[in-house]
Amino acid sequence: MSKVEYLSRLDYIWKRDHERHEKVAVMFAHIHNSFHAEEENVAVDSELTSLKLLNEIITDMDNLLLKAEFSRVEKIKVIGTTYMAAAGLKPNVRRSSIEEEELEPFDIETNAATLVNLAVEMMQSLQRFNSHLFQNYELRVGIDCGPSMAGVVGNNKPIYDVWGNAVNVASRMETTGEMGRIQVTEETAQILMNVGYECQCRGKVFVKGKGTQTTYFVTKPPPNERLDLFEVLTEGYSKTEDTRL
């Protein structure tokens, strides 16, 4: 048995048991191509091309998780064209398993900041992808934080998944957000601002199942971070009093 296969099986064993995690950050990132959205009748060959392009984009995003700074991020799944990931689920992640060292769990601020930085790098990856292949893909991101349950569901094609209010709200932050922006709740904005991020109040947004909430767009990193990385975020925003989904 190879080392990769061995670690994969160990990874599956601990995930089988459902666990509650208190300091989880959840991200939904929706991939959108305005070129294809304008086409009413898409041929089969065009759909196949789109699928191949999507696979390249998802692969590029997966590769970002190999970076040390994102080693604690867990890719949950891809839903259609939406990439779901979480941070703060397990202290003993794949990198620590390889190095055989125990890691302490990060705090909620670090988990939230990690997903914001990941989202920004995903947007940069899309920009490079667009320039090389003359495409117009964009990313719309929603992030929320809070306690969550995680574990494997089912025996046939078991899936590791996450449940909780943070998951539902993060999904709504994505669907009610704007392309090229990272939308968060007021609570998550405060968490990020506590560690130096700048967040701009969007206004009142209607969130299905939650009512009207005040949401924020993440705009700038802490002073000690690279500001140029955040230039990928869309400048300006539409202040919305009641955005419905």
Side-chain angles (χ1 to χ4, degrees):
M1 182 187 301
S2 68
K3 188 173 183 179
V4 173
E5 183 180 3
Y6 173 73
L7 292 177
S8 296
R9 291 189 180 186
L10 285 181
D11 192 51
Y12 170 75
I13 289 172
W14 71 256
K15 286 178 178 177
R16 279 189 348 193
D17 297 326
H18 292 73
E19 297 180 344
R20 179 179 173 86
H21 304 277
E22 300 297 330
K23 302 175 181 179
V24 178
V26 182
M27 177 190 76
F28 285 83
H30 178 68
I31 304 163
H32 175 79
N33 191 332
S34 59
F35 286 165
H36 294 168
E38 295 173 356
E39 300 176 6
E40 296 183 1
N41 300 313
V42 181
V44 174
D45 57 345
S46 180
E47 291 182 346
L48 290 174
T49 300
S50 297
L51 187 57
K52 290 179 180 178
L53 293 174
L54 178 63
N55 180 64
E56 290 187 39
I57 292 171
I58 296 298
T59 299
D60 288 343
M61 291 180 173
D62 287 343
N63 288 336
L64 290 175
L65 300 186
L66 299 177
K67 300 176 67 171
E69 62 187 296
F70 302 130
S71 63
R72 295 173 186 251
V73 176
E74 187 77 28
K75 174 187 176 182
I76 305 301
K77 56 188 172 183
V78 176
I79 312 164
T81 58
T82 301
Y83 194 104
M84 179 185 178
L89 293 177
K90 190 72 176 180
N92 304 324
V93 292
R94 54 186 173 274
R95 186 174 298 276
S96 65
S97 298
I98 295 173
E99 298 173 354
E100 298 182 351
E101 65 179 44
E102 294 292 318
L103 298 178
E104 293 298 323
F106 279 151
D107 53 36
I108 191 65
E109 290 85 0
T110 302
N111 291 330
T114 297
L115 288 188
V116 167
N117 294 339
L118 175 61
V120 170
E121 293 215 18
M122 284 180 169
M123 291 179 181
Q124 286 189 320
S125 177
L126 269 185
Q127 276 195 347
R128 292 190 294 269
F129 184 86
N130 289 336
S131 63
H132 291 159
L133 296 177
F134 305 102
Q135 296 294 319
N136 194 33
Y137 283 95
E138 296 177 286
L139 207 62
R140 183 178 64 216
V141 179
I143 296 175
D144 194 39
C145 302
S148 301
M149 290 291 296
V152 172
V153 175
N155 292 320
N156 186 16
K157 292 185 179 180
I159 298 175
Y160 181 67
D161 211 342
V162 185
W163 303 268
N165 182 65
V167 176
N168 298 330
V169 175
S171 176
R172 298 304 180 192
M173 289 298 99
E174 178 271 304
T175 54
T176 61
E178 295 182 358
M179 288 297 166
R181 305 306 301 260
I182 302 171
Q183 182 172 235
V184 299
T185 59
E186 189 169 18
E187 293 78 9
T188 299
Q190 187 59 57
I191 290 172
L192 290 167
M193 288 188 286
N194 286 343
V195 290
Y197 286 82
E198 290 187 19
C199 298
Q200 193 171 38
C201 183
R202 180 186 184 187
K204 298 294 184 179
V205 174
F206 180 82
V207 180
K208 185 177 180 181
K210 301 295 179 181
T212 302
Q213 294 190 353
T214 301
T215 67
Y216 288 72
F217 287 128
V218 182
T219 57
K220 292 182 181 179
N224 60 332
E225 299 288 339
R226 288 180 56 191
L227 181 60
D228 59 304
L229 292 178
F230 279 65
E231 292 177 353
V232 69
L233 295 176
T234 302
E235 295 183 0
Y237 68 99
S238 301
K239 187 172 181 180
T240 307
E241 295 298 330
D242 189 10
T243 300
R244 295 182 177 271
L245 173 63

